[in-house]
Coordinates of all heavy atoms in Angstrom, one line a residue:
Y4 N 0.8 -1.2 0.0 CA 0.0 0.0 0.0 C 0.9 1.3 0.0 O 1.9 1.3 0.8 CB -0.9 0.0 1.2 CG -1.8 -1.2 1.3 CD1 -1.4 -2.4 2.0 CD2 -2.9 -1.1 0.7 CE1 -2.3 -3.4 2.1 CE2 -3.9 -2.2 0.8 CZ -3.5 -3.3 1.5 OH -4.4 -4.5 1.6
S5 N 0.6 2.1 -1.0 CA 1.5 3.4 -0.9 C 0.9 4.4 0.1 O -0.2 4.2 0.6 CB 1.3 4.1 -2.3 OG 0.0 4.6 -2.6
P6 N 1.8 5.4 0.4 CA 1.3 6.4 1.4 C 0.0 7.0 1.0 O -0.8 7.5 1.9 CB 2.4 7.4 1.4 CG 3.6 6.6 0.9 CD 3.1 5.6 0.0
A7 N -0.4 7.2 -0.3 CA -1.6 7.8 -0.7 C -2.7 6.8 -0.7 O -3.9 7.2 -1.0 CB -1.4 8.3 -2.2
G8 N -2.5 5.5 -0.4 CA -3.6 4.6 -0.2 C -3.7 3.6 -1.5 O -4.7 2.7 -1.5
G9 N -2.9 3.8 -2.5 CA -2.9 2.9 -3.7 C -2.4 1.6 -3.3 O -1.6 1.4 -2.4
M10 N -2.9 0.6 -4.1 CA -2.4 -0.8 -3.7 C -2.0 -1.6 -5.0 O -2.6 -1.4 -6.1 CB -3.6 -1.6 -3.2 CG -3.2 -3.0 -2.7 SD -4.5 -3.9 -2.0 CE -5.5 -4.4 -3.4
R11 N -0.9 -2.2 -5.0 CA -0.4 -3.1 -6.0 C -0.3 -4.5 -5.4 O 0.1 -4.7 -4.4 CB 1.0 -2.6 -6.5 CG 0.9 -1.3 -7.1 CD 2.3 -1.0 -7.7 NE 2.3 0.4 -8.2 CZ 3.5 1.0 -8.6 NH1 4.6 0.3 -8.6 NH2 3.4 2.2 -9.0
T12 N -0.6 -5.5 -6.2 CA -0.5 -6.8 -5.8 C 0.4 -7.7 -6.8 O 0.4 -7.4 -7.9 CB -1.9 -7.6 -5.7 OG1 -2.5 -7.6 -7.0 CG2 -2.8 -6.8 -4.7
A13 N 0.9 -8.8 -6.2 CA 1.7 -9.6 -7.1 C 1.8 -11.0 -6.3 O 1.9 -11.0 -5.1 CB 3.1 -9.2 -7.2
N14 N 1.6 -12.1 -7.1 CA 1.8 -13.4 -6.4 C 3.2 -13.9 -6.8 O 3.8 -13.7 -7.9 CB 0.8 -14.4 -7.1 CG -0.6 -14.0 -6.7 OD1 -0.8 -13.6 -5.6 ND2 -1.5 -14.3 -7.6
H15 N 3.8 -14.6 -5.8 CA 5.1 -15.1 -5.9 C 5.2 -16.6 -5.3 O 4.7 -16.8 -4.3 CB 6.1 -14.3 -5.2 CG 6.2 -12.9 -5.7 ND1 7.0 -12.5 -6.9 CD2 5.7 -11.7 -5.3 CE1 6.9 -11.2 -7.0 NE2 6.0 -10.7 -6.1
D16 N 6.0 -17.4 -6.0 CA 6.2 -18.7 -5.4 C 7.5 -18.6 -4.8 O 8.6 -18.3 -5.4 CB 6.2 -19.8 -6.5 CG 4.8 -20.0 -7.0 OD1 3.9 -20.0 -6.3 OD2 4.7 -20.3 -8.2
L17 N 7.7 -18.9 -3.4 CA 8.9 -18.9 -2.8 C 9.4 -20.4 -2.6 O 8.7 -21.1 -1.9 CB 8.8 -18.1 -1.5 CG 8.1 -16.8 -1.6 CD1 8.0 -16.1 -0.3 CD2 9.0 -15.9 -2.5
W18 N 10.6 -20.6 -3.1 CA 11.2 -22.0 -2.9 C 12.1 -22.0 -1.7 O 13.0 -21.2 -1.7 CB 11.8 -22.4 -4.3 CG 10.8 -22.5 -5.4 CD1 10.5 -21.5 -6.3 CD2 9.9 -23.5 -5.5 NE1 9.5 -21.9 -7.1 CE2 9.1 -23.2 -6.7 CE3 9.7 -24.8 -5.0 CZ2 8.1 -24.0 -7.3 CZ3 8.7 -25.6 -5.6 CH2 7.9 -25.2 -6.6
F19 N 12.0 -23.0 -0.9 CA 12.9 -23.1 0.2 C 13.9 -24.2 0.0 O 14.9 -24.3 0.7 CB 12.1 -23.5 1.4 CG 11.1 -22.4 1.8 CD1 9.8 -22.4 1.4 CD2 11.5 -21.3 2.5 CE1 8.8 -21.4 1.7 CE2 10.6 -20.2 2.8 CZ 9.3 -20.3 2.4
V20 N 13.8 -25.2 -1.0 CA 14.8 -26.0 -1.3 C 14.9 -26.1 -2.9 O 14.0 -25.7 -3.5 CB 14.4 -27.5 -0.8 CG1 14.5 -27.5 0.7 CG2 13.0 -28.0 -1.4
D21 N 16.1 -26.5 -3.4 CA 16.2 -26.7 -4.8 C 15.7 -28.0 -5.3 O 15.1 -28.7 -4.6 CB 17.7 -26.4 -5.2 CG 18.7 -27.6 -4.7 OD1 18.2 -28.6 -4.3 OD2 19.9 -27.3 -4.7
E22 N 15.9 -28.3 -6.6 CA 15.4 -29.5 -7.2 C 15.9 -30.8 -6.6 O 15.3 -31.8 -6.7 CB 15.6 -29.4 -8.8 CG 14.8 -28.3 -9.4 CD 15.2 -28.2 -10.9 OE1 16.1 -28.9 -11.3 OE2 14.4 -27.4 -11.5
Q23 N 17.1 -30.7 -6.0 CA 17.7 -31.9 -5.4 C 17.3 -32.0 -3.9 O 17.8 -32.8 -3.3 CB 19.2 -31.9 -5.6 CG 19.7 -32.1 -7.0 CD 19.6 -30.9 -7.9 OE1 19.6 -29.8 -7.5 NE2 19.2 -31.1 -9.2
G24 N 16.6 -31.1 -3.4 CA 16.2 -31.1 -2.0 C 17.1 -30.3 -1.1 O 16.9 -30.4 0.0
K25 N 18.1 -29.7 -1.6 CA 19.0 -28.9 -0.8 C 18.5 -27.6 -0.3 O 17.9 -26.9 -1.2 CB 20.4 -28.7 -1.7 CG 21.4 -28.0 -0.9 CD 22.6 -27.7 -1.7 CE 23.6 -27.0 -0.8 NZ 24.4 -26.0 -1.6
S26 N 18.6 -27.3 0.9 CA 18.1 -26.0 1.4 C 18.6 -24.8 0.7 O 19.9 -24.7 0.5 CB 18.4 -26.0 2.9 OG 17.9 -24.7 3.5
L27 N 17.8 -23.9 0.5 CA 18.4 -22.6 -0.2 C 18.6 -21.5 0.9 O 18.9 -20.4 0.6 CB 17.3 -22.1 -1.2 CG 17.1 -23.0 -2.4 CD1 15.9 -22.4 -3.2 CD2 18.3 -23.1 -3.2
S28 N 18.4 -21.9 2.1 CA 18.6 -20.9 3.3 C 19.9 -21.0 3.9 O 20.6 -22.0 3.8 CB 17.5 -21.2 4.3 OG 17.6 -22.4 4.9
D29 N 20.2 -19.9 4.6 CA 21.4 -19.8 5.4 C 21.2 -19.9 6.9 O 20.3 -19.2 7.4 CB 22.2 -18.4 5.1 CG 23.4 -18.2 5.9 OD1 24.0 -19.2 6.3 OD2 23.7 -17.1 6.2
C30 N 21.5 -21.1 7.5 CA 21.1 -21.3 8.9 C 22.1 -21.1 9.9 O 23.3 -21.4 9.7 CB 20.5 -22.7 9.0 SG 19.1 -23.1 8.0
M31 N 21.8 -20.7 11.0 CA 22.6 -20.6 12.2 C 21.7 -21.3 13.3 O 20.8 -20.6 13.9 CB 22.9 -19.1 12.5 CG 23.9 -19.1 13.7 SD 24.5 -17.4 14.0 CE 25.4 -17.0 12.5
G32 N 22.1 -22.4 13.6 CA 21.3 -23.1 14.6 C 19.9 -23.5 14.1 O 19.7 -23.9 13.1
D33 N 18.9 -23.1 15.0 CA 17.4 -23.2 14.6 C 16.9 -22.2 13.6 O 15.7 -22.2 13.2 CB 16.5 -23.4 15.8 CG 16.8 -24.8 16.6 OD1 17.4 -25.6 15.9 OD2 16.5 -24.8 17.7
L34 N 17.7 -21.0 13.5 CA 17.2 -20.0 12.7 C 17.7 -19.9 11.3 O 18.9 -20.2 11.2 CB 17.5 -18.7 13.5 CG 16.9 -18.5 14.9 CD1 17.4 -17.2 15.5 CD2 15.5 -18.5 14.8
C35 N 16.9 -19.7 10.3 CA 17.3 -19.8 9.0 C 16.9 -18.5 8.2 O 15.8 -18.0 8.5 CB 16.8 -21.0 8.2 SG 17.4 -22.6 8.9
D36 N 17.8 -18.0 7.4 CA 17.5 -16.8 6.6 C 17.5 -17.2 5.1 O 18.4 -18.0 4.7 CB 18.5 -15.7 6.7 CG 18.4 -15.1 8.2 OD1 17.3 -15.1 8.7 OD2 19.5 -14.6 8.7
I37 N 16.5 -16.8 4.4 CA 16.5 -16.9 2.9 C 16.0 -15.6 2.3 O 15.1 -15.0 2.9 CB 15.7 -18.1 2.5 CG1 15.7 -18.5 1.0 CG2 14.1 -17.9 2.9 CD1 15.2 -19.8 0.7
E38 N 16.6 -15.2 1.2 CA 16.3 -13.9 0.6 C 15.6 -14.2 -0.8 O 16.2 -15.1 -1.5 CB 17.5 -13.0 0.4 CG 18.0 -12.5 1.7 CD 19.0 -11.5 1.6 OE1 19.2 -10.9 0.4 OE2 19.8 -11.3 2.6
F39 N 14.6 -13.5 -1.2 CA 14.0 -13.6 -2.5 C 13.8 -12.1 -3.0 O 13.4 -11.3 -2.2 CB 12.6 -14.1 -2.4 CG 12.5 -15.6 -1.9 CD1 12.3 -15.9 -0.7 CD2 12.8 -16.7 -2.8 CE1 12.2 -17.1 -0.2 CE2 12.8 -17.9 -2.3 CZ 12.4 -18.2 -1.0
L40 N 14.1 -11.9 -4.2 CA 13.9 -10.6 -4.8 C 12.4 -10.6 -5.3 O 12.0 -11.5 -6.0 CB 14.7 -10.3 -6.1 CG 14.5 -9.1 -6.8 CD1 14.8 -7.8 -5.9 CD2 15.4 -9.0 -8.1
I41 N 11.6 -9.7 -4.7 CA 10.2 -9.6 -4.8 C 9.9 -8.7 -6.0 O 9.1 -9.0 -6.9 CB 9.4 -9.3 -3.6 CG1 9.7 -10.4 -2.5 CG2 7.9 -9.2 -3.8 CD1 9.2 -11.7 -2.8
R42 N 10.3 -7.5 -5.9 CA 10.1 -6.5 -6.8 C 11.3 -5.5 -7.0 O 11.8 -4.9 -6.1 CB 8.9 -5.5 -6.4 CG 8.5 -4.6 -7.5 CD 7.2 -4.0 -7.1 NE 6.1 -5.0 -7.1 CZ 5.0 -4.9 -7.7 NH1 4.7 -3.8 -8.4 NH2 4.1 -5.8 -7.7
K43 N 11.8 -5.6 -8.2 CA 13.1 -4.9 -8.5 C 12.8 -3.3 -8.7 O 13.5 -2.5 -8.4 CB 13.8 -5.5 -9.7 CG 15.2 -4.9 -9.9 CD 16.0 -5.7 -10.9 CE 17.3 -5.2 -11.0 NZ 18.1 -5.9 -11.9
A44 N 11.8 -3.1 -9.5 CA 11.5 -1.7 -9.8 C 10.1 -1.2 -9.1 O 9.0 -1.5 -9.7 CB 11.5 -1.4 -11.3
Y45 N 10.2 -0.6 -8.0 CA 9.0 -0.1 -7.3 C 9.3 1.3 -6.8 O 10.3 1.4 -6.0 CB 8.6 -1.1 -6.3 CG 7.3 -0.5 -5.5 CD1 6.1 -0.6 -6.0 CD2 7.4 0.1 -4.2 CE1 4.9 -0.2 -5.4 CE2 6.3 0.6 -3.6 CZ 5.1 0.4 -4.1 OH 3.9 0.9 -3.5
S46 N 8.7 2.3 -7.3 CA 9.0 3.6 -6.8 C 7.8 4.2 -6.1 O 6.7 4.0 -6.3 CB 9.4 4.5 -8.0 OG 8.3 4.7 -8.9
V47 N 8.1 5.1 -5.1 CA 7.2 5.7 -4.3 C 7.5 7.2 -4.5 O 8.5 7.7 -4.1 CB 7.3 5.3 -2.8 CG1 6.3 6.0 -2.0 CG2 7.1 3.8 -2.7
S48 N 6.5 7.9 -5.0 CA 6.7 9.3 -5.2 C 6.3 10.3 -4.1 O 6.6 11.3 -4.0 CB 6.0 9.8 -6.5 OG 4.6 9.4 -6.4
E49 N 5.3 9.7 -3.2 CA 4.9 10.6 -2.2 C 5.5 10.2 -0.9 O 5.8 9.0 -0.6 CB 3.4 10.6 -2.0 CG 2.8 9.2 -1.7 CD 2.5 8.4 -3.0 OE1 2.6 8.8 -4.0 OE2 2.1 7.2 -2.7
P50 N 5.7 11.2 0.1 CA 6.3 10.8 1.4 C 5.3 10.1 2.3 O 4.1 10.3 2.1 CB 6.7 12.1 2.0 CG 5.8 13.2 1.4 CD 5.5 12.6 0.0
G51 N 5.7 9.3 3.2 CA 4.9 8.6 4.2 C 5.2 7.1 4.3 O 6.3 6.6 4.0
I52 N 4.3 6.4 4.8 CA 4.6 4.9 5.1 C 4.1 4.1 4.0 O 3.0 4.2 3.6 CB 4.0 4.6 6.6 CG1 4.6 5.4 7.6 CG2 4.0 3.1 6.8 CD1 3.8 5.2 9.0
V53 N 4.9 3.2 3.7 CA 4.6 2.1 2.7 C 4.3 0.8 3.4 O 5.1 0.4 4.3 CB 5.6 1.9 1.6 CG1 5.3 0.8 0.7 CG2 5.9 3.2 0.8
K54 N 3.1 0.3 3.2 CA 2.8 -1.1 4.0 C 2.8 -2.2 3.0 O 2.4 -2.1 1.9 CB 1.4 -0.9 4.6 CG 1.4 0.1 5.7 CD -0.1 0.2 6.3 CE -0.1 1.3 7.3 NZ -1.4 1.3 7.9
F55 N 3.4 -3.4 3.5 CA 3.4 -4.6 2.7 C 2.6 -5.7 3.4 O 2.7 -5.7 4.6 CB 4.9 -5.1 2.5 CG 5.7 -4.2 1.6 CD1 6.4 -3.2 2.2 CD2 5.9 -4.6 0.3 CE1 7.2 -2.3 1.4 CE2 6.6 -3.8 -0.5 CZ 7.3 -2.6 0.1
E56 N 1.9 -6.4 2.7 CA 1.1 -7.5 3.3 C 1.6 -8.9 2.6 O 1.7 -9.0 1.5 CB -0.4 -7.3 3.0 CG -1.3 -8.4 3.6 CD -2.7 -8.0 3.3 OE1 -3.2 -6.9 3.6 OE2 -3.5 -8.9 2.8
V57 N 1.9 -9.8 3.5 CA 2.3 -11.1 2.9 C 1.2 -12.1 3.4 O 0.7 -12.2 4.6 CB 3.7 -11.5 3.6 CG1 4.0 -12.9 3.2 CG2 4.7 -10.6 3.4
E58 N 0.8 -12.9 2.5 CA -0.3 -13.9 2.6 C 0.0 -15.2 2.1 O 0.6 -15.3 1.0 CB -1.6 -13.3 2.0 CG -2.8 -14.2 2.1 CD -4.0 -13.7 1.4 OE1 -3.8 -12.8 0.5 OE2 -5.0 -14.2 1.6
N59 N -0.3 -16.2 2.8 CA -0.1 -17.6 2.4 C -1.3 -18.0 1.6 O -2.4 -18.1 2.1 CB 0.2 -18.6 3.5 CG 0.3 -20.0 3.1 OD1 0.5 -20.3 1.9 ND2 0.2 -21.0 4.0
K60 N -1.1 -18.2 0.3 CA -2.3 -18.5 -0.6 C -2.6 -20.0 -0.5 O -3.6 -20.6 -1.1 CB -2.0 -18.2 -2.1 CG -1.9 -16.7 -2.3 CD -3.3 -16.0 -2.2 CE -3.2 -14.6 -2.6 NZ -4.5 -14.0 -2.7
Y61 N -1.6 -20.8 0.0 CA -1.8 -22.3 0.1 C -2.2 -22.6 1.5 O -1.4 -23.3 2.3 CB -0.4 -23.0 -0.3 CG 0.0 -22.7 -1.7 CD1 1.1 -21.8 -1.8 CD2 -0.6 -23.3 -2.7 CE1 1.4 -21.5 -3.1 CE2 -0.2 -23.0 -4.1 CZ 0.9 -22.1 -4.3 OH 1.2 -21.8 -5.5
T62 N -3.3 -22.2 1.9 CA -3.8 -22.5 3.3 C -3.9 -24.0 3.6 O -4.0 -24.3 4.8 CB -5.1 -21.7 3.5 OG1 -6.1 -22.2 2.5 CG2 -4.9 -20.2 3.4
K63 N -4.1 -24.8 2.6 CA -4.3 -26.3 2.9 C -3.0 -27.0 3.0 O -2.9 -28.1 3.4 CB -5.1 -26.9 1.8 CG -6.5 -26.4 1.7 CD -7.3 -27.1 0.7 CE -8.8 -26.6 0.7 NZ -9.5 -27.2 -0.4
V64 N -1.9 -26.3 2.7 CA -0.6 -26.9 3.0 C 0.1 -26.5 4.2 O 0.2 -25.3 4.5 CB 0.4 -26.4 1.7 CG1 1.9 -26.9 1.9 CG2 -0.2 -26.8 0.4
E65 N 0.5 -27.4 5.1 CA 1.1 -27.1 6.3 C 2.5 -26.6 6.1 O 3.2 -27.1 5.3 CB 1.1 -28.4 7.2 CG 0.1 -28.2 8.4 CD 0.3 -29.4 9.3 OE1 1.2 -29.4 10.1 OE2 -0.7 -30.3 9.2
M66 N 2.9 -25.6 6.9 CA 4.2 -25.1 6.9 C 4.8 -25.1 8.2 O 5.0 -24.0 8.7 CB 4.2 -23.7 6.1 CG 3.7 -23.7 4.7 SD 4.1 -22.2 3.9 CE 3.5 -22.5 2.4
P67 N 5.1 -26.2 8.8 CA 5.6 -26.3 10.1 C 7.0 -25.5 10.2 O 7.8 -25.7 9.2 CB 5.7 -27.7 10.5 CG 5.8 -28.4 9.2 CD 5.0 -27.5 8.2
G68 N 7.3 -24.9 11.3 CA 8.7 -24.4 11.4 C 8.8 -22.9 11.0 O 9.8 -22.3 11.3
I69 N 7.9 -22.4 10.2 CA 8.0 -21.0 9.8 C 7.4 -20.1 10.9 O 6.1 -20.2 11.2 CB 7.3 -20.7 8.4 CG1 8.0 -21.5 7.4 CG2 7.4 -19.2 8.1 CD1 7.4 -21.5 6.0
I70 N 8.2 -19.5 11.6 CA 7.8 -18.6 12.8 C 7.7 -17.2 12.4 O 6.8 -16.5 12.9 CB 8.8 -18.8 13.9 CG1 8.9 -20.3 14.3 CG2 8.5 -17.9 15.1 CD1 10.1 -20.5 15.2
E71 N 8.4 -16.7 11.6 CA 8.4 -15.3 11.2 C 8.9 -15.0 9.9 O 9.7 -15.8 9.2 CB 9.5 -14.6 12.2 CG 9.7 -13.1 12.1 CD 10.6 -12.7 13.1 OE1 10.5 -13.0 14.3 OE2 11.5 -11.9 12.7
V72 N 8.4 -13.9 9.3 CA 8.8 -13.6 7.9 C 9.2 -12.1 8.0 O 8.5 -11.2 8.6 CB 7.5 -13.6 6.9 CG1 7.9 -13.0 5.5 CG2 7.1 -15.1 6.8
G73 N 10.3 -11.7 7.4 CA 10.9 -10.3 7.6 C 10.9 -9.8 6.2 O 10.8 -10.5 5.1
L74 N 11.1 -8.5 6.1 CA 11.2 -7.8 4.8 C 12.4 -6.8 4.9 O 12.5 -6.1 5.8 CB 9.9 -7.1 4.6 CG 9.8 -6.2 3.3 CD1 9.8 -7.0 2.1 CD2 8.5 -5.3 3.4
I75 N 13.2 -6.9 3.8 CA 14.3 -5.9 3.7 C 13.9 -5.0 2.5 O 13.8 -5.5 1.4 CB 15.6 -6.7 3.5 CG1 15.9 -7.5 4.7 CG2 16.8 -5.7 3.2 CD1 17.2 -8.4 4.5
V76 N 14.0 -3.7 2.6 CA 13.8 -2.8 1.6 C 15.0 -2.0 1.4 O 15.6 -1.4 2.3 CB 12.7 -1.8 2.0 CG1 12.5 -0.8 0.8 CG2 11.4 -2.7 2.2
R77 N 15.6 -2.0 0.1 CA 16.7 -1.4 -0.2 C 16.5 -0.2 -1.3 O 15.7 -0.5 -2.1 CB 17.8 -2.3 -0.8 CG 18.3 -3.3 0.3 CD 19.4 -4.1 -0.2 NE 19.9 -5.1 0.7 CZ 19.8 -6.4 0.5 NH1 19.3 -6.9 -0.5 NH2 20.2 -7.1 1.5
E78 N 17.2 0.8 -1.1 CA 17.2 1.9 -2.2 C 17.8 1.3 -3.4 O 18.8 0.7 -3.4 CB 17.9 3.1 -1.7 CG 17.7 4.3 -2.6 CD 18.3 5.5 -2.1 OE1 18.9 5.5 -1.0 OE2 18.3 6.5 -2.8
A79 N 17.2 1.6 -4.6 CA 17.8 1.2 -5.8 C 19.1 1.8 -6.1 O 19.4 3.0 -5.8 CB 16.8 1.5 -6.9
E80 N 20.0 1.0 -6.8 CA 21.3 1.6 -7.2 C 21.0 2.5 -8.4 O 20.2 2.2 -9.3 CB 22.2 0.5 -7.6 CG 22.6 -0.5 -6.5 CD 23.4 -1.6 -7.1 OE1 23.9 -1.5 -8.2 OE2 23.6 -2.6 -6.2
K81 N 21.7 3.6 -8.4 CA 21.5 4.7 -9.5 C 22.5 4.5 -10.6 O 23.5 4.1 -10.5 CB 21.6 6.1 -8.9 CG 20.4 6.3 -7.9 CD 20.4 7.6 -7.3 CE 19.3 7.7 -6.3 NZ 19.3 8.9 -5.6

């Protein structure tokens, strides 16, 4: 959601293991980090707070062990 109230949506498939079953995450003990590029070109022209919503569209698929989802936002390289 943009500061002006506009909304953009996108569906993404996030893979946690590769085709051979090898984990794509970086783990330290019980905590694992994995990064996915969600949107490369997204600009915000008005000042304010931008809100992101993450939703599991596969509600019938159990995902044990996922405790938290974080978001890293970086300024684009010029």
Side-chain angles (χ1 to χ4, degrees):
Y4 299 92
S5 72
M10 182 177 78
R11 295 184 187 174
T12 64
N14 292 325
H15 300 277
D16 291 325
L17 306 179
W18 297 96
F19 298 96
V20 295
D21 66 14
E22 293 175 352
Q23 288 75 36
K25 182 180 177 222
S26 176
L27 297 172
S28 60
D29 179 26
C30 296
M31 184 178 289
D33 290 342
L34 301 176
C35 298
D36 291 330
I37 189 165
E38 292 186 21
F39 299 99
L40 177 62
I41 299 295
R42 187 168 295 230
K43 190 171 185 174
Y45 179 77
S46 61
V47 179
S48 57
E49 64 272 354
I52 296 173
V53 176
K54 295 181 183 181
F55 291 87
E56 182 177 308
V57 177
E58 177 183 15
N59 177 13
K60 296 283 188 173
Y61 300 103
T62 57
K63 293 183 179 181
V64 176
E65 251 185 78
M66 295 189 180
I69 298 178
I70 300 168
E71 183 177 308
V72 175
L74 179 68
I75 299 170
V76 178
R77 294 188 179 116
E78 184 175 359
E80 295 178 12
K81 296 179 182 180

